[in-house]
Amino acid sequence: MTELSYSTTLSQTSTVLVERGAASRLGKLVAEQLPAPRQVALITDRNVAPFCQEPVEAALQAAGFETKAFLVPAGEESKSFSMLGNLWDRLVSFGMTRDSAVVALGGGVVGDLAGMGASTLLRGVPVIQVPTSLLAQVDASIGGKTAVNTSAGKNLVGTFWHPTLVVIDPDLLDTLPDDEFRSGLGEVVKYGMIRDASILDRLARFDNLAALREDAETLESLIRDSASIKVGVVAADARESGERAHLNFGHTVGHAIETAESYQGLSHGEAVSVGMVAASFLAVDLGVAPAELPGALTEVLLRFELPVDTPHAPEDLLPHMAHDKKRIGTRSRWVLVPKPGEAILFEDPAEASVIRALQAVYRPTPPVEDSSTES
């Protein structure tokens, strides 16, 4: 078992556990962290519930907790004000008090929604994250960022509310569909690019996604090391005032793609994959990185069938990028990688350079040929 922890400026301490089979001991683990609460609201989505809800509820009940499950629709659409309001009403009806706790069982969407609900209900109740997707295990469940989306962009309204406990059980990934697993790999590659190049070396040993999924030991090491990087960065910068922005490598363009597609196209990790390639081209254009960086990154991503281009033209993405949370006033800020394992913040690159980077990942959708023939 790997146990990590970090403290925040909100006097909250988060414990992060990485261990196979940990979900089966959830009740005991929660009781050790929060001995007082007897009432737990379990929030999950309709895709996760058939696989995980029953054993997790049973583990909590065996430890003496009164539980009630709240199911939300799967997908980014659940990160909305209307769903948040509905969740508040349901939690109040359950009789939640400040001694109660929320357990988020699911991927990043459930974690964000449940975390924001917990942070605002009664001005804050404890939240425990039990991530069930690779993306959530290596990234979204750690760090206390909660959010809902608006029509202007992704994650623009949210709070910092650090989970009391994060239980990362790699066994929960066994039933994860390949496309969702692939999305999580986008974030794993990100950690290799910004902090630990050995992650990229380990990924390079596998020819495809199936081979990686079959290697439980390597997979667990990738999860553990990615989570450790996230914990270290958050511990140093809990409120994203400096170094934590490095975790947004690829997200400036990635979020713009997601918004342009109304969250109906590429998944988050896939959009970040394209965004990392665009940021690499920008780094080369600005003289920050060597010319071979985009190609090397592209090779890793294509190995696992992650996308490296987008059908959205620069003029389609630039308006959405204007809402990037890293901006300071009218000045944009980009996370760039001079070489794998290192990241920097680059302020306000020339728009011409940004457009060239976006053009480098732009692949227009081929026109549909008219198959009709004259009679």
Side-chain angles (χ1 to χ4, degrees):
M1 177 178 71
T2 299
E3 180 172 335
L4 311 164
S5 66
Y6 64 94
S7 297
T8 76
T9 55
L10 298 176
S11 299
Q12 293 174 279
T13 298
S14 290
T15 298
V16 181
L17 300 176
V18 183
E19 180 187 6
R20 289 193 174 276
S24 64
R25 301 190 298 110
L26 184 64
K28 180 176 182 293
L29 294 171
V30 173
E32 289 172 351
Q33 297 291 324
L34 297 169
R38 294 291 95 189
Q39 192 178 48
V40 173
L42 178 65
I43 300 172
T44 189
D45 70 38
R46 300 185 189 282
N47 286 350
V48 172
F51 301 101
C52 303
Q53 178 185 335
E54 186 175 336
V56 166
E57 271 198 292
L60 290 166
Q61 291 167 359
F65 292 101
E66 176 192 357
T67 67
K68 186 172 180 62
F70 298 89
L71 270 64
V72 300
E76 200 72 29
E77 296 83 358
S78 283
K79 283 175 52 175
S80 67
F81 284 109
S82 60
M83 187 61 67
L84 179 62
N86 178 267
L87 181 61
W88 281 328
D89 289 340
R90 294 164 72 186
L91 292 175
V92 169
S93 297
F94 181 39
M96 295 280 285
T97 69
R98 288 182 178 174
D99 290 330
S100 305
V102 167
V103 171
L105 176 68
V109 169
V110 167
D112 273 355
L113 179 66
M116 188 161 179
S119 73
T120 47
L121 183 73
L122 306 174
R123 296 190 176 90
V125 299
V127 62
I128 293 93
Q129 296 278 355
V130 186
T132 62
S133 70
L134 179 59
L135 190 149
Q137 290 193 354
V138 301
D139 188 76
S141 66
I142 304 168
K145 290 169 72 172
T146 82
V148 293
N149 303 327
T150 75
S151 58
K154 184 171 180 175
N155 296 339
L156 293 181
V157 180
T159 61
F160 285 98
W161 190 247
H162 294 268
T164 300
L165 175 66
V166 182
V167 177
I168 299 174
D169 183 349
D171 286 345
L172 294 179
L173 303 180
D174 289 348
T175 57
L176 191 70
D178 279 348
D179 57 346
E180 291 188 37
F181 193 96
R182 186 177 293 110
S183 178
L185 273 185
E187 293 284 356
V188 174
V189 171
K190 176 195 76 176
Y191 287 118
M193 291 294 291
I194 68 170
R195 278 296 184 277
D196 183 0
S198 76
I199 288 175
L200 304 177
D201 295 335
R202 274 175 277 170
L203 289 173
R205 298 203 301 263
F206 298 91
D207 293 330
N208 51 51
L209 187 70
L212 173 60
R213 295 196 69 164
E214 290 173 1
D215 190 327
E217 183 177 347
T218 297
L219 178 58
E220 186 170 358
S221 79
L222 291 169
I223 294 170
R224 181 188 62 246
D225 292 351
S226 297
S228 181
I229 293 170
K230 180 72 178 277
V231 166
V233 172
V234 172
D237 181 17
R239 299 291 297 228
E240 202 172 44
S241 58
E243 179 185 3
R244 186 167 178 173
H246 292 175
L247 297 173
N248 285 315
F249 177 56
H251 287 57
T252 299
V253 173
H255 281 170
I257 292 172
E258 289 182 272
T259 304
E261 296 176 347
S262 299
Y263 313 109
Q264 299 297 314
L266 294 183
S267 67
H268 175 69
E270 291 173 329
V272 166
S273 176
V274 179
M276 289 190 292
V277 177
S280 296
F281 277 112
L282 178 60
V284 172
D285 193 272
L286 295 170
V288 170
E292 59 268 21
L293 182 69
L297 173 58
T298 296
E299 192 278 330
V300 175
L301 296 170
L302 289 178
R303 184 180 296 264
F304 301 103
E305 300 180 41
L306 280 159
V308 297
D309 51 47
T310 175
H312 301 287
E315 58 268 26
D316 298 328
L317 297 179
L318 286 169
H320 299 299
M321 290 161 56
H323 297 290
D324 184 54
K325 297 187 297 300
K326 295 186 297 301
R327 293 180 71 90
I328 299 178
T330 59
R331 303 190 308 275
S332 66
R333 292 194 304 164
W334 286 73
V335 183
L336 301 179
V337 170
K339 65 178 183 178
E342 296 181 11
I344 62 171
L345 273 175
F346 193 101
E347 188 167 309
D348 218 20
E351 184 172 287
S353 291
V354 173
I355 291 174
R356 283 193 290 270
L358 294 176
Q359 193 69 39
V361 297
Y362 174 46
R363 297 291 182 274
T365 302
V368 177
E369 295 184 6
D370 186 358
S371 59
S372 61
T373 57
E374 294 184 6
S375 55

